[in-house]
Amino acid sequence: MNDRMMKAVLYDRYGGPEVLYTARVPRPEPAPGEVLVKVSAFSVNGGELAVRSGRLRLLSGRSFPQRVGLDFTGEVAVPGAGGTRFTAGDRVWGVLGRTSGFGSAAEYVAVPAERVGRLPEGLDPVAAAALPVATTAVTALRDKAGLRPGERLLVRGAAGGVGNAAVQLGRAYGAEVTALARAANLDFVRGLGAHEAVDHRAVRPAELGRFDVVLDTAGTDLRAFRRLLRPGGRMVTIAFDLRRPVTSLGYLAASAVHGPGRVRFFSGDPTRTHLDDLARQVAEGRLRPAVDTVFPLEETAAAHRALEAGGVRGKYVVRVG
């Protein structure tokens, strides 16, 4: 078998999960400042589903084939040139940067060294693939919202990839955590540390009370959730309404300059510093991986289909090695 080739997940047109297929493609060669990682596992993220479906084709273009996979765990295969701090065999995790696009759904990935961190000792690499996205929750709560002990925190989408991490971190930071999730997932989010778990289909936002910090992972009904802020409250969202992108992004921009309770919007783009900080959060017991189901690489389409169906508890992870 040609060791210059590898398996990867591709698609040749926009559409549902059925457009995904596994093929053999050339193995990447690391450029100066990059490392080549032999991938153990990756997780499925909502953003790549939106791209694959074509809802963001104005940004993703019409050049095919395209790839999927944003985060990864694995081992360094080739440290690369340019003075990286890694050696072959190092256990690592990371997230491809915004300019790199997708591509971790493969046996190997070449990635800038500043996007790679060392995997915490004792952490299973497959389970660990559920955690790189948690850098977004750390940034949202600690850096963007400045969450303080004793404050009331509302996490919308609390059972998902970012949401479950936010529940755990909010509790660790000393906040009083209210988790919004599906009815079937209420016990799950309570187990993560939520003080109160609420079925998001059974209540209207106005019935939830007032909060110091609202973390939104859905991007819809932002006005309604913004009204829940106490004086001095902060709202952070990591999503916008894909059904009405122009209107939704316009509202987010306007909220920065009009009225109290600015809605802070950001898209996670973690570097090694974020990944090393995440490793400390894990080591200190603030955070643990939450894996719903593990799929083999050849069933990546099934993992996409499961995430689109809703109801995930933590992350869907795809095992590569």
Side-chain angles (χ1 to χ4, degrees), residues 15-314:
E18 68 277 359
V19 303
L20 299 176
Y21 65 95
T22 305
R24 294 190 64 80
V25 301
R27 193 181 75 183
E29 296 293 335
E34 291 186 336
V35 296
L36 182 69
V37 176
K38 184 178 182 181
V39 179
S40 298
F42 62 92
S43 75
V44 181
N45 297 281
E48 61 189 299
L49 270 60
V51 173
R52 187 219 66 227
S53 69
R55 284 179 286 177
L56 298 176
R57 67 184 68 196
L58 291 177
L59 299 176
S60 54
R62 294 183 177 275
S63 176
F64 295 99
Q66 293 197 28
R67 304 275 292 274
V68 295
L70 180 63
D71 50 36
F72 60 88
T73 62
E75 289 186 359
V76 173
V78 180
T84 72
R85 63 172 186 158
F86 298 103
T87 59
D90 285 345
R91 299 168 72 249
V92 296
W93 57 4
V95 180
L96 301 181
R98 290 175 184 158
T99 58
S100 303
F102 300 109
S104 64
E107 292 181 308
Y108 291 87
V109 62
V111 58
E114 67 267 19
R115 301 285 180 180
V116 180
R118 296 185 188 278
L119 199 65
E121 289 293 330
L123 196 59
D124 175 74
V126 175
L131 281 175
V133 71
T135 56
T136 300
V138 174
T139 302
L141 296 181
R142 187 188 63 191
D143 303 334
K144 299 293 184 179
L147 181 66
R148 297 184 291 269
E151 290 191 316
R152 290 198 75 204
L153 166 66
L154 175 67
V155 180
R156 187 180 180 207
V162 174
N164 91 83
V167 171
Q168 295 182 64
L169 290 167
R171 181 66 182 252
Y173 293 159
E176 181 184 334
V177 183
T178 297
L180 275 183
R182 292 188 176 198
N185 290 338
L186 297 184
D187 286 342
F188 170 70
V189 295
R190 289 190 189 100
L192 296 173
H195 295 84
E196 183 179 11
V198 180
D199 178 3
H200 73 97
R201 294 178 175 176
V203 299
R204 293 174 297 175
E207 298 171 337
L208 292 168
R210 305 294 292 276
F211 297 88
D212 301 289
V213 174
V214 173
L215 174 58
D216 169 77
T217 69
T220 57
D221 300 322
L222 296 178
R223 287 182 177 84
F225 284 93
R226 184 186 183 187
R227 295 189 187 104
L228 305 185
L229 293 177
R230 290 172 169 170
R234 295 85 69 200
M235 179 171 172
V236 180
T237 183
I238 62 168
F240 60 90
D241 192 343
L242 290 171
R243 299 168 301 176
R244 306 174 184 85
V246 175
T247 301
S248 182
L249 288 171
Y251 172 73
L252 288 169
S255 78
V257 294
H258 295 293
R262 170 187 173 186
V263 181
R264 299 161 173 86
F265 169 72
F266 80 103
S267 175
D269 192 30
T271 63
R272 186 176 67 219
T273 300
H274 296 95
L275 293 164
D276 289 347
D277 180 47
L278 183 65
R280 286 191 292 271
Q281 304 278 347
V282 173
E284 292 170 2
R286 295 171 180 254
L287 194 60
R288 67 180 188 271
V291 177
D292 186 304
T293 307
V294 178
F295 297 81
L297 182 66
E298 289 76 13
E299 294 182 17
T300 300
H304 275 231
R305 191 172 294 111
L307 186 58
E308 287 185 344
V312 63
R313 296 183 179 184

